[in-house]
Amino acid sequence: MAGLVGMALLAVSACAQDGATSPETVRELAGSAEAVSTREQVEQGIRKTVDHWDAHTALTLGLVTLDDSCVGGKAEEWFFQDGDDEYEIRCTMYVSAYFGADPRRMPDTIDGILTAGDPENSPIPFGHDFIYATKVVDYYRGRTGDPQGPGTGEPRELFSAGTVTLDWDQVRRSGTRQLIEEVPSCAPGVPPVKRCLREPASAGVATLRREYGMVFKLVFPSSNYFTVYKDD
């Protein structure tokens, strides 16, 4: 009986290796002309949006982080199916931008962001038609209570599904203030399979906070910008 169990385990192990993308193939596909072109287009588009925020709001850009990785598909999944066995390779990019701002001008800063987002073609997805955002402005002007309802406390985020999320240091002195966390260090990796950028490398959240007084963080949703399916 034990022998049969051992043979079964060996068979499952062999099957688990069958169909997985090799590291060599991952590197080849990640460096292909199509992958490189798509990667550049996605990154340039995000950087253009970041520059727009820097130029059209009271926020001052201080740091951009980019984490980009390509992973190979798994062998055919028999028990726990999550779709990772359907592709040869998938490349995903994560980008965040950190800005400094004056905490004493919080209502004007948020209101200015909404003004910059009002034009129809603006890449800033928050405008004065965003009722919750206008409540945040009124909150910081002292005109109203907690934007999310009594007892919910100071806000710290504006969210636009599929576009960006804007977080900031809480500035009110009552209670425990939630602050933007420090940027994690780069994980080791070799392009084009894995890239990690911290621009400038010398900057950090604490540095921005000391210079400007508070920090805003603009988070872009993860972008699966390049996928090659096994059926292709």
Side-chain angles (χ1 to χ4, degrees), residues 44-200:
Q44 289 172 5
I46 293 176
R47 287 183 181 274
K48 184 177 179 180
T49 298
V50 170
D51 289 342
H52 188 93
W53 278 79
D54 186 37
H56 293 86
T57 73
L59 305 178
T60 301
L61 179 62
L63 172 66
V64 174
T65 68
L66 182 148
D67 294 274
D68 180 12
S69 63
C70 297
V71 296
K74 296 180 180 178
E76 187 172 358
E77 297 174 320
W78 297 98
F79 304 108
F80 304 104
Q81 298 179 347
D82 58 11
D84 286 346
D85 60 348
E86 296 178 357
Y87 56 83
E88 289 284 356
I89 185 177
R90 172 170 289 168
C91 299
T92 307
M93 186 180 299
Y94 303 86
V95 180
S96 296
Y98 295 78
F99 301 82
D102 186 344
R104 299 167 298 181
R105 298 183 57 81
M106 191 63 172
D108 292 336
T109 297
I110 299 292
D111 194 43
I113 290 171
L114 303 186
T115 298
D118 282 338
E120 183 177 352
N121 296 322
S122 173
I124 297 175
F126 312 117
H128 284 94
D129 57 346
F130 186 3
I131 302 303
Y132 173 75
T134 62
K135 291 182 178 179
V136 171
V137 174
D138 288 340
Y139 169 87
Y140 282 113
R141 293 198 191 282
R143 296 173 180 170
T144 186
D146 301 342
Q148 297 185 67
T152 56
E154 182 179 357
R156 65 184 307 263
E157 179 181 272
L158 295 179
F159 173 75
S160 177
T163 309
V164 296
T165 301
L166 181 67
D167 298 320
W168 58 83
D169 288 341
Q170 291 183 323
V171 298
R172 293 288 176 91
R173 295 295 176 180
S174 59
T176 302
R177 296 168 59 209
Q178 297 186 57
L179 303 177
I180 299 298
E181 295 182 351
E182 190 56 76
V183 177
S185 59
C186 278
V190 179
V193 175
K194 193 173 185 64
R195 288 192 307 149
C196 178
L197 303 178
R198 302 289 183 263
E199 299 176 347

Side-chain angles (χ1 to χ4, degrees), residues 16-63:
Q17 298 302 318
D18 185 33
T21 309
S22 69
E24 294 77 16
T25 300
V26 171
R27 176 164 297 280
E28 179 183 356
L29 292 174
S32 66
E34 184 179 358
V36 171
S37 176
T38 305
R39 182 179 298 120
E40 291 176 349
Q41 290 177 20
V42 171
E43 182 175 341
Q44 289 172 5
I46 293 176
R47 287 183 181 274
K48 184 177 179 180
T49 298
V50 170
D51 289 342
H52 188 93
W53 278 79
D54 186 37
H56 293 86
T57 73
L59 305 178
T60 301
L61 179 62
L63 172 66

